[in-house]
Structures are given as C-alpha cells and as structure tokens.
Amino acid sequence: MVRITANNVNHLLIKFIIKILLSTVISVTVFSSVSSFILLKLDADLGAAKYVGLAVVILSAFIISNISIRGFKNNLLVMSLFSVLPLAIFSIINFCVNKTDPVYVIIKVIAVFAVAFISSVIMSKKALRR
C-alpha cells in the first residue's frame, strides 16, 4: 500500500481545485453557448431563457461533480458538494448582477447541490461494484 505524505496531499488538493475550476469554466461556457445558439435558431422568447439557464446549471453541476470526484474512493459526497460550490457562487453572483427573481436563484442553488448529491450517490454505487 502506498504511503501518503504531505507532498502527496498538497498535490492531490491542487489537482482537485484545478479540475473543479477548469470543468466549471468549460462546462458553463459550452452549455451556455449551445443553449443560446439553440434559442437563437428556434427564435424563442426570453421567457424560455430562464428555464434553459436552469438546465444549463443542472447539466454543468452533474458534469463538474462527476469529473472532479473521479479518482477518489472516500468522502464522495463531501467532495462532490465542494466541487459544485463555484457554480453555486456563480449563480448567486449572476443573480446580483442581473437582478432576477430571488426564488429562481434559490431553486438554482438547491438544484446544484441536489444534482451533486445524486452524482455522488451514482459514483459511490459504481465504486462499490468494482
């Protein structure tokens, strides 16, 4: 069994943070671009953009939590919840800047953490099968 030292832990933490930040930026950018292109081509009104934004946040939370907790065996729930924290903060900042409905933001943040919880349960069941 490999012995864990302080250098390994620091390296693992830095790798985890980089995975979180990169997956957050890439997934939000890609899903937002694709959804805005679809809304533009379908000529949908701006009322639908609110619901598409919720879908973008949910898909991003699932992708972020799956990518960031891959490679961990223990504490998948805690790591998954920590991994979607930047996305939740991004949603709150987006609310402050755009002055949207506060209930909608609360739904977004709850959905982010619920999807992270579901993702950690799925990943832990996969880890048990191995």
Side-chain angles (χ1 to χ4, degrees), residues 59-113:
L59 288 172
S60 296
F62 187 75
I63 296 295
I64 292 165
S65 63
N66 275 338
I67 288 174
S68 62
I69 64 175
R70 192 168 288 154
F72 288 102
K73 294 181 182 176
N74 298 326
N75 298 329
L76 293 180
L77 176 62
V78 175
M79 300 302 267
S80 180
L81 292 177
F82 278 144
S83 68
V84 294
L85 201 58
L87 184 62
I89 292 171
F90 174 74
S91 296
I92 293 170
I93 291 172
N94 194 9
F95 160 70
C96 293
V97 170
N98 293 332
K99 303 288 191 223
T100 58
D101 188 21
V103 175
Y104 178 66
V105 174
I106 293 170
I107 291 171
K108 262 186 173 181
V109 172
I110 290 172
V112 165
F113 288 117

Side-chain angles (χ1 to χ4, degrees), residues 9-129:
V9 173
N10 288 339
H11 178 68
L12 190 64
L13 182 65
I14 291 171
K15 185 178 174 183
F16 178 67
I17 291 172
I18 289 173
K19 281 167 65 173
I20 291 171
L21 294 177
L22 283 178
S23 62
T24 301
V25 169
I26 291 171
S27 66
V28 169
T29 303
V30 168
F31 288 135
S32 295
S33 299
V34 169
S35 65
S36 64
F37 179 75
I38 290 171
L39 283 176
L40 181 68
K41 289 298 178 184
L42 292 177
D43 197 27
D45 60 345
L46 291 178
K50 179 166 58 170
Y51 302 110
V52 172
L54 183 63
V56 165
V57 167
I58 289 173
L59 288 172
S60 296
F62 187 75
I63 296 295
I64 292 165
S65 63
N66 275 338
I67 288 174
S68 62
I69 64 175
R70 192 168 288 154
F72 288 102
K73 294 181 182 176
N74 298 326
N75 298 329
L76 293 180
L77 176 62
V78 175
M79 300 302 267
S80 180
L81 292 177
F82 278 144
S83 68
V84 294
L85 201 58
L87 184 62
I89 292 171
F90 174 74
S91 296
I92 293 170
I93 291 172
N94 194 9
F95 160 70
C96 293
V97 170
N98 293 332
K99 303 288 191 223
T100 58
D101 188 21
V103 175
Y104 178 66
V105 174
I106 293 170
I107 291 171
K108 262 186 173 181
V109 172
I110 290 172
V112 165
F113 288 117
V115 168
F117 176 77
I118 292 169
S119 175
S120 67
V121 169
I122 291 171
M123 291 296 280
S124 66
K125 290 202 185 237
K126 284 183 183 178
L128 285 175
R129 289 183 187 161

